[in-house]
Amino acid sequence: MNQRIRKAAVLGSGVMGSGIAAHLANIGIPVLLLDIVPRTLTDGEEKKGLTLQDAAVRNRISSGAVQKLLKQKPAPLTAKGNLALIEAGNFEDDMHRLAEADWIIEVVVENLEVKQKVFTQVDQYRKQGSIVSSNTSGISVEAMSEGRSDDFRKHFLGTHFFNPPRYLKLLEVIPTKATSPEILSFMKTFGEDVLGKGVVEAKDTPNFIANRIGTYGLLVTVKELQKGGYSVGEVDSVTGPLIGRPKSATFRTLDVVGLDTFAHVAKNVYDQVEGEEKDVFDIPEFMKKMLENGWLGSKSGQGFFKKEGKEILELNPETLEYQERKKLKAQSIEAAKQIKGSAAKMKALIYSGDRAGTLLWNITSPTLLYSAELLGDIADDILAIDEAMKWGFGWQYGPFETWDSIGLSKSVEKMEAEGKTVPAWIKDMLGRGFTSFYKKEDGVSYYYHDGDYRRIETNEKVINLKDLKEKKGVIKKNSGASLVDLGDGVALLEFHSPNNAIGLDIIQMINFAVDEVEKNFKGLVIGNQGKNFCVGANLAMILMEAQDDNYFEVDMVVRHFQQAMMKIKYSPKPVVAAPFGMSLGGGAEICLPSASIQASSETYMGLVEAGVGLIPGGGGNKELYIKLLNSVPKGVDFDLQNVANKVFETIATAKVSSSAAEAKENFFMNEKDSVSFNGDHLIYDAKQKVLQLSDNGYKAPVRKNVPVVGETGYAALLLGAQSMLQSGYISEHDLKIAQKLAYVIAGGKVPFGTEVDEQYLLDLEREAFLSLVKEGKSQQRMQHMLVKGKPLRN
């Protein structure tokens, strides 16, 4: 089957439609975004003398949605330039252009009749073989396609994105009876490999998988809040990170989603189910009152929480008045905080029997039973349910993984003792002597399915480092990092210090890794699967040594770090950095000298040392400057001062990219560097890049002198900083940091255009770094960052 998606059309330009269009544009797919034609003119349009026949008026709704993408937070676009790939149009003038699209996505109002009308037109204009899908969150996909042509029905399915599409990983794919198996298979692969999603196949039932279980779990929690006399803040204090759920926990999540959206999703199930299940999906009276009052959450300024000044207040559901936010206090919570891992914490809490344990048991057990009852109805296997909850709701463990973590036999005993009905298939499973939903044998994972265990099949592009190390062991490790064999002649250096912060342990492992790879491997990947790639150098260690006047120690660490970065740069075998998430300070300094960067699309890269009163010390200033110099095409005349100015501004303002695309715009990445849209494929993609470089006969770069702007350039660099000080934008200490930084980038007291050795620039950088470490105000900034987690302006 030669299916390809080169161009897409999105029908409906609301928050979701424009968000999907933005996600496609981020990937590089041109999109036609259509919406209805306005029936009246705005005051502005009347003043301009426009009529209802003008294209600017007719396309107003979709073109307005496109412009809004630039202002939305979090940003739907990975780079502002991606906007050029989205073309606005309308349903009356542009439907014939659907013939250009390989994929048409409907995102109009959640009304079956309206959707059917839209699809009648789509069927008329689409080309044969183009894929059509609906982003419905709960209307029957089967019903939408009734009366359509055979080719339409064969190429039609549900594709339910979660909002915001750029950031939320889940894509539920819902085939109809008529959907061609080839099209379903293509969309699942395209969703994972191109869109970067976690794809789950769902059945055509109300709210599919994640919203069905997630909404049930939230409503059970709301009912327990009332029944157990808990406060909103108390519930949120135990239903978040403590048990492996997002920081937004329960009620903060509802505030972010919007109570109106949540009520709509709940009503969708309420209208289509019976009995006890119907009762759960009937939202309580106090929430109906909140809807009437317009207390919808973040978008209306108040919901379950409300900010007054610096204080966050919580809603009292009985009085509907706001009061001081409370946290649940219980012995089990204090005990759980000492336990490692949220699965173990959950087990300790849930059987504790105190107020926290009772709350967690009363909201978890019905959700587990509900998930088990729905198996077969909403999804074919437990794996799909668990993955949907992890990718759609940010749970660390899905319902069946949670069940394993609290002990299946023990929990079933407790459920039955309370008179709860346990689904027959679970009783049968226990009867066969199977006491867990998942198991691992010889490094292979299995899940329980239809009376036996079935192997979990994963995409070859998903490399799980934990499993790999269990299977193959490690080549060498210390407290900060491990060297692992990725196979096919490629090694991987994995950081695992707290926050992946760089200390001597990691520096030692970098040196060992580069030497080992030179002897025995084709190349090296530097990557990991922690929360972030690397948040920089070990600031606590630097501050402690500085406060003890151990400047010799700091100097030694910086020297070693600089030498290790040069070792990466001039390694005879290719070194590919695989950054993701926060890749700051030292994290960026590791990426810059690498032979190539394979970054996750969500990479936030920057040299942020100015925020803690320092400048980069591991070669970051020099490498960013050289990267920018190398981006100028050979033979093109350029202004060296402009290059120095750009680098100075980027580092002085601690500019951090909001995506890998923006890291390219900030010159942390160049045309040799690549982006992975699926973060789970990052290590695999980086490994392929190493093999490609090796197969193409990789040669280490030749060491060359670097032209600098010298004394005159230094003066030019400082002009802007001095005017900012006079305008009150920066402090005296900020100016001092800027002076040191400018001196390093300018290359010190040499004439403009002098070519200097890299080691000379490293020495300047290290001296400037050390002089700032000695400054009391810089030490205050470091202390403040370590204690408060945010920069101090002093």
Side-chain angles (χ1 to χ4, degrees), residues 230 238 328 330 332-333 348-363 414:
Y230 296 93
V238 289
L328 188 56
S332 63
I333 295 173
L349 281 161
I350 211 158
Y351 296 121
S352 68
D354 63 12
R355 249 183 120 230
T358 303
L359 169 67
L360 287 173
W361 173 259
N362 288 347
I363 64 178
K414 187 167 160 67

Side-chain angles (χ1 to χ4, degrees), residues 152-377:
F152 179 104
R153 292 179 63 132
K154 210 164 88 177
H155 292 85
F156 179 71
L157 70 170
T159 49
H160 181 218
F161 287 83
F162 271 58
N163 193 27
R166 172 182 162 186
Y167 301 94
L168 279 190
K169 193 167 169 167
L170 180 61
L171 175 65
E172 290 175 322
V173 174
I174 309 99
T176 69
K177 292 187 187 84
T179 307
S180 139
E182 289 80 16
I183 292 299
L184 175 63
S185 171
F186 169 79
M187 282 309 286
K188 283 160 90 168
T189 304
F190 178 81
E192 187 178 347
D193 290 358
V194 182
L195 299 177
K197 295 294 172 194
V199 182
V200 168
E201 188 182 329
K203 305 273 189 110
D204 190 10
T205 54
N207 288 4
F208 313 125
I209 303 172
N211 274 343
R212 180 81 171 265
I213 291 170
T215 307
Y216 180 90
L218 284 163
L219 283 165
V220 162
T221 307
V222 173
K223 289 180 166 46
E224 189 56 31
L225 161 107
Q226 293 179 295
K227 201 170 81 191
Y230 296 93
S231 90
V232 162
E234 283 181 326
V235 171
D236 269 15
S237 68
V238 289
T239 56
L242 189 66
I243 60 164
R245 301 278 174 85
K247 269 199 302 205
S248 55
T250 302
F251 293 103
R252 180 82 189 96
T253 296
L254 287 171
D255 274 356
V256 171
V257 168
L259 191 54
D260 50 347
T261 306
F262 177 76
H264 171 79
V265 172
K267 188 179 184 308
N268 195 39
V269 182
Y270 177 82
D271 289 343
Q272 298 181 63
V273 296
E274 297 299 328
E276 276 179 43
E277 189 179 1
K278 196 177 190 76
D279 294 342
V280 174
F281 283 93
D282 184 14
I283 67 169
E285 284 307 316
F286 84 89
M287 282 168 80
K288 290 174 186 169
K289 191 79 185 140
M290 287 172 72
L291 283 169
E292 280 170 33
N293 293 349
W295 298 352
L296 307 177
S298 306
K299 58 183 161 191
S300 66
Q302 68 186 93
F304 290 99
F305 295 101
K306 179 183 178 182
K307 199 170 183 186
E308 279 191 6
K310 286 193 172 177
E311 204 182 355
I312 293 171
L313 304 174
E314 61 172 55
L315 183 75
N316 181 325
E318 286 181 8
T319 62
L320 286 187
E321 286 172 0
Y322 289 91
Q323 59 193 37
E324 196 181 326
R325 187 166 53 161
K326 288 197 206 108
K327 280 188 175 178
L328 188 56
K329 290 185 170 45
Q331 221 173 339
S332 63
I333 295 173
E334 296 314 309
K337 283 176 183 169
Q338 308 310 312
I339 299 169
K340 268 197 165 176
S342 38
K345 286 182 201 289
M346 178 72 157
K347 187 173 186 174
L349 281 161
I350 211 158
Y351 296 121
S352 68
D354 63 12
R355 249 183 120 230
T358 303
L359 169 67
L360 287 173
W361 173 259
N362 288 347
I363 64 178
T364 304
S365 56
T367 308
L368 300 183
L369 289 168
Y370 187 65
S371 304
E373 280 160 15
L374 289 174
L375 182 68
D377 285 347

